[in-house]
Amino acid sequence: MTTIGCPHFSSSESYTSGRIIARQTSDLDTLREFLDTGVEELISGVLFMVFTAVALIALDPPSMLPVVISFVPLFFFSWWFSNSSKRAFRATRVFSARLIVQFVETMTGIRAVKAFRREKHNEETYGEHVDNYRFANQKVISIFGIFDPGLKLIANVVMATVLLLGALRVLNGGMEVGVLLAAVLYVRRIYDPVNDLAMFYNSMQSAGSALEKISGVLEEEPSVGEPATPTALTHPRGSLDLDGVTFGYVDGRPVLPALDLHIPAGQTVALVGTTGAGKSTLAKLIARFYDPDSGAVRLDGVDLRELSNNDLRACVVMVTQEAYLFSGSVTENLSLGKPDATPEQIEAAARAVGAHDFIMSLPEGYDTDVNKRGGRLSSGQRQLLSFARAFLADPTVLILDEATASLDIPSERLVQRGLQTLLADRTAIIIAHRLSTVSIADRVIVMEHGRIIEDGTPADLIAGTGTFATLHQAWRDSLA
């Protein structure tokens, strides 16, 4: 994948793709449904009740007294319904999101699921989420199963009371039969909108729960923001400096305890070390996926926190071993870092890294759809396209994070030829375990526990007795 330094990257890491999809589908649909119909039901119901009540008072004020008294139990009944339904609807949103997350992650990682024979386990896990979601909805239904009949019971009791009292008044000559009949009908009509209002409350509770989830995404603050008055880079050269940089993903557990590093413009630097040494973390700080806890990362003397998004994206490009391609044509994927690139520029970039020949062998050449995640292409071909994409973006600083780790030897040799062109005349940082990739570097930095333990040219370090010399000898022995 070719990644342009993006100051909003780390703020989205707490949300999985499934959670984001749940917010954009079921939660937004619930909110839309409420706005489309709920408000209309509320207004029409309230107006209907008010006008009916006014008409009843004008007709026979004593008949309104039982209605007023009924509002006391109705208030407490509604209060119970409000609290119970709020908890129930919140549970349905939670279980719905978990269900979507499980489905999306299973389908996204279907190859791993099949490789490790996890179909049965995932099926059972998905079934548990379905059951939880069903039980949560049953809880909502049961609450409404109590509330709706309860409302009708209160309405019927009030109607019976009005009818009984009115009948006594008719027998005593204090009320005409026609007025009693009209009063009873008015009382009945007063309670007709109550059910609609209950349904409105249903929609409101569900929409409120959905809005909580959506608000969590909208209110998420980027951990690395753009400065209010950014400093412009008019002629970037690519000189990098890390001054007293400390960083940790978790408070109290630094990955980089204190790091000072200078990389001159145009130099190709290889970062070597064991897993967890801090190499990828260092690369992410240079790409400004994160900001250091203390110290500063500078490009041409300017703190990355002072650069605008556009300058940062134009100057820093990162290529990872995933070589992520989007559904669409080869041309669309290559122009990701430079949307206004001409067909001639795209072809020149492909030729520069040795990708043109295999692209032309595809069914439709540069217009060939690479399918989801580039499934139509081999690992080496996808990596060559990611290099061509980076070459077309023409960054000042290029970061290769294990860019050849997933390739076989023939594919790696194919990619190596592309690297020679890609790294020319730019500052480059190569993170690699394969020392064949490291050999093209001007300088090798060996890291351990977030610290630099060796720094020199490949030839000098190989001639020594340090960690890199040991690694190089082990690599040579493996080829023998």
Side-chain angles (χ1 to χ4, degrees):
M1 178 178 71
T2 307
T3 307
I4 312 299
C6 176
H8 297 282
F9 175 79
S10 59
S11 66
S12 62
E13 288 186 325
S14 60
Y15 287 94
T16 64
S17 58
R19 292 177 66 189
I20 294 294
I21 291 172
R23 303 297 176 268
Q24 294 181 333
T25 54
S26 62
D27 290 334
L28 281 177
D29 284 343
T30 299
L31 192 59
R32 177 190 56 78
E33 182 180 349
F34 169 72
L35 295 175
D36 285 346
T37 62
V39 177
E40 179 183 350
E41 291 177 357
L42 172 66
I43 296 175
S44 61
V46 169
L47 290 177
F48 190 90
M49 289 183 66
V50 169
F51 289 143
T52 305
V54 170
L56 179 58
I57 293 174
L59 177 67
D60 184 45
S63 296
M64 187 63 186
L65 182 60
V67 177
V68 175
I69 295 175
S70 71
F71 286 147
V72 176
L74 192 59
F75 170 79
F76 288 104
F77 193 42
S78 299
W79 177 79
W80 166 83
F81 173 76
S82 172
N83 291 322
S84 300
S85 61
K86 184 181 296 183
R87 291 191 297 268
F89 275 114
R90 186 176 289 115
T92 61
R93 305 316 304 170
V94 170
F95 289 123
S96 173
R98 291 177 181 175
L99 183 64
I100 295 175
V101 168
Q102 174 67 22
F103 178 80
V104 171
E105 291 184 348
T106 297
M107 297 307 296
T108 303
I110 191 64
R111 292 183 179 177
V113 172
K114 288 183 174 294
F116 291 97
R117 301 296 186 268
R118 301 291 288 178
E119 294 95 337
K120 185 65 176 178
H121 175 270
N122 282 40
E123 180 183 351
E124 293 174 352
T125 302
Y126 185 77
E128 291 176 2
H129 288 305
V130 171
D131 289 339
N132 290 334
Y133 184 49
R134 184 176 71 251
F135 293 147
N137 280 287
Q138 287 177 349
K139 180 67 174 177
V140 173
I141 294 172
S142 65
I143 291 173
F144 273 88
I146 297 173
F147 185 64
D148 188 57
L151 289 179
K152 293 180 179 178
L153 176 62
I154 293 174
N156 290 334
V157 169
V158 172
M159 286 177 59
T161 302
V162 171
L163 181 60
L164 177 61
L165 296 178
L168 294 175
R169 290 168 60 195
V170 169
L171 293 175
N172 294 330
M175 186 179 188
E176 296 181 359
V177 176
V179 174
L180 173 59
L181 179 60
V184 171
L185 292 176
Y186 276 136
V187 170
R188 179 180 178 182
R189 301 299 292 174
I190 284 178
Y191 287 96
D192 280 349
V194 171
N195 189 56
D196 293 336
L197 294 179
M199 295 309 298
F200 163 79
Y201 198 80
N202 173 12
S203 299
M204 185 178 70
Q205 292 288 12
S206 184
S209 299
L211 187 59
E212 286 182 8
K213 305 294 184 182
I214 298 171
S215 298
V217 177
L218 297 178
E219 294 174 0
E220 187 75 23
E221 292 291 336
S223 59
V224 284
E226 187 173 11
T229 54
T231 301
L233 279 179
T234 53
H235 301 288
R237 303 181 309 278
S239 174
L240 290 169
D241 290 280
L242 284 81
D243 300 328
V245 169
T246 63
F247 178 79
Y249 297 99
V250 180
D251 291 340
R253 297 173 57 184
V255 177
L256 302 177
L259 188 64
D260 293 294
L261 177 64
H262 172 67
I263 301 177
Q267 188 176 71
T268 298
V269 177
L271 296 181
V272 179
T274 58
T275 301
K279 307 183 297 297
S280 294
T281 299
L282 175 60
K284 291 174 183 177
L285 290 175
I286 294 175
R288 211 194 167 203
F289 290 166
Y290 304 95
D291 281 335
D293 297 332
S294 62
V297 180
R298 294 186 172 86
L299 175 62
D300 294 336
V302 180
D303 194 320
L304 296 186
R305 288 170 288 204
E306 299 176 6
L307 292 177
S308 67
N309 293 349
N310 291 335
D311 281 347
L312 183 61
R313 295 190 185 102
C315 291
V316 181
V317 167
M318 187 172 182
V319 180
T320 68
Q321 68 182 48
E322 187 179 1
Y324 194 98
L325 299 180
F326 296 91
S327 298
S329 68
V330 173
T331 296
E332 291 170 341
N333 276 279
L334 293 184
S335 61
L336 183 66
K338 190 176 181 180
D340 58 346
T342 64
E344 291 75 17
Q345 291 174 321
I346 292 173
E347 181 177 331
R351 288 182 180 277
V353 299
H356 176 73
D357 290 341
F358 93 78
I359 293 175
M360 294 306 298
S361 68
L362 297 174
E364 299 178 53
Y366 283 84
D367 294 326
T368 302
D369 192 331
V370 299
N371 293 342
K372 181 181 178 181
R373 295 178 178 265
R376 172 170 282 179
L377 308 178
S378 68
S379 297
Q381 291 172 336
R382 289 197 299 269
Q383 200 64 275
L384 279 177
L385 289 187
S386 71
F387 288 154
R389 184 161 60 188
F391 185 86
L392 185 62
D394 192 25
T396 306
V397 177
L398 177 65
I399 304 171
L400 304 179
D401 187 2
E402 299 286 359
T404 61
S406 60
L407 304 181
D408 54 25
I409 298 301
S411 297
E412 184 184 15
R413 289 173 179 170
L414 182 66
V415 168
Q416 288 279 10
R417 292 194 290 269
L419 279 177
Q420 299 290 342
T421 304
L422 183 62
L423 301 182
D425 301 324
R426 72 179 86 250
T427 305
I429 299 172
I430 303 174
I431 301 173
H433 286 107
R434 293 185 179 181
L435 297 190
S436 56
T437 305
V438 174
S439 62
I440 63 177
D442 303 319
R443 174 184 176 191
V444 175
I445 295 175
V446 182
M447 297 186 66
E448 189 68 38
H449 303 301
R451 301 181 186 276
I452 297 174
I453 59 174
E454 293 182 26
D455 187 353
T457 64
D460 290 342
L461 294 183
I462 290 172
T465 59
T467 301
F468 185 75
T470 303
L471 292 173
H472 187 269
Q473 185 60 46
W475 173 66
R476 290 181 63 88
D477 292 342
S478 69
L479 299 179

